[in-house]
Amino acid sequence: MSEYLYLKIPASTANLGVGFDSIGMAIDKYLNLYVQEIEDEEWKFEYLNSELESLPKNEENYIYKVAQQVASKYNVHLPNLKVEMRSEIPLARGLGSSASALVGALYIANYFGNIQLSKHELLQLATEIEGHPDNVAPTIYGGLLAGYYNPETKETNVAHIDVPNVDIILTIPSYELKTEDSRRALPHTFSHKKAVQNSAISNTMICALIQHNYELAGKMMEQDGFHEPFRQHLIPEFEQVKSLAKEYNAYAAVISGAGPTILTLSRKEKSGKLVRAFRTQIPSCTSELATINETGVVEEVVYPS
Ligand code: HSE
């Protein structure tokens, strides 16, 4: 049996309130891919957990499409592959599952096409496909990042920020919210005055995070005007999560990415009690303590013994 490529790709939470499309943090929940060259006539996809069964197993599969797109960009031919997937990242819940799949596809093309893409190039490609770096950048690098994709030059620049020394809680509703539907709720235009206000909130939030002033960072996160006011009606549990979070003195509760998951930044001494309160009082959602991933994608070539 030939070697296989093992990829452990973290989930991510984007926006952190007012960092819409630019700020994101990697989360210790993983898409695991086991990829091996096969003799078959076509690629094979095998899903190791039932939540993935809704995904296509043919050439419509997103990983297949992106891997081939990258291979053709670099003029290389990929062998036929068997891709086994096991994922802890719930689909269409605002935890970056498709960004993780996209990053996985890039690593697959890079390895099996022997393209020799650097991490910087992987980020450029990922952002060009995704349109914004807030999920793909933390997925590739780990940690907390702010970034900007310039659609004219197609260049992405990112900056790391120390990961916050807080506990995080994910409250994951049982229903899906497709990113395209959640983006459709956003306004097409935004006044200059509002843009100035919200960039001031965002700048203050980032400076507060850099100073580890979570009180102030949380206060700014919760004043987002870029996306939450337009999306919160899509997530009926949001208000209840926010009010319980307040009751337990959490720093902030914000929509994770495009939703419907809600991210709470909690004081360490209160997080256990708060997550149990979420579980008891909002039983329709799964609430859990999560940790911040600081390593990004792990890539390993495994030789069977
Ligand atoms: N920043 C994006 C959004 C994340 O909120 O729509 C999901 O792609």
Side-chain angles (χ1 to χ4, degrees), residues 174-232:
S174 55
Y175 52 87
E176 296 189 345
L177 176 54
K178 298 244 183 288
T179 299
E180 64 213 67
D181 295 334
S182 184
R183 288 182 89 83
R184 215 172 288 130
L186 302 174
H188 293 295
T189 56
F190 205 62
S191 71
H192 184 266
K193 187 174 160 199
K194 285 201 161 189
V196 171
Q197 282 171 349
N198 280 279
S199 72
I201 300 169
S202 189
N203 295 338
T204 310
M205 193 275 271
I206 287 292
C207 288
L209 274 183
I210 291 169
Q211 295 179 341
H212 300 270
N213 180 347
Y214 308 123
E215 202 88 56
L216 179 58
K219 186 174 173 186
M220 293 298 121
M221 283 178 199
E222 291 204 340
Q223 290 184 65
D224 161 60
F226 283 130
H227 78 120
E228 287 194 346
F230 313 106
R231 286 174 159 170
Q232 57 194 14

Side-chain angles (χ1 to χ4, degrees), residues 16-65:
L16 266 71
V18 78
F20 180 71
D21 274 3
S22 63
I23 300 175
M25 188 162 73
I27 303 279
D28 273 322
K29 283 174 99 61
Y30 296 96
L31 167 64
N32 295 283
L33 299 177
Y34 310 84
V35 191
Q36 194 171 33
E37 198 173 327
I38 48 172
E39 298 295 328
D40 301 34
E41 298 289 294
E42 53 192 23
W43 286 41
K44 267 172 82 175
F45 285 88
E46 281 181 19
Y47 301 136
L48 304 177
N49 55 312
S50 58
E51 292 81 357
L52 298 173
E53 282 303 332
S54 60
L55 301 176
K57 290 188 168 175
N58 54 21
E59 296 188 356
E60 287 306 303
N61 184 287
Y62 187 54
I63 290 181
Y64 175 86
K65 289 207 274 198

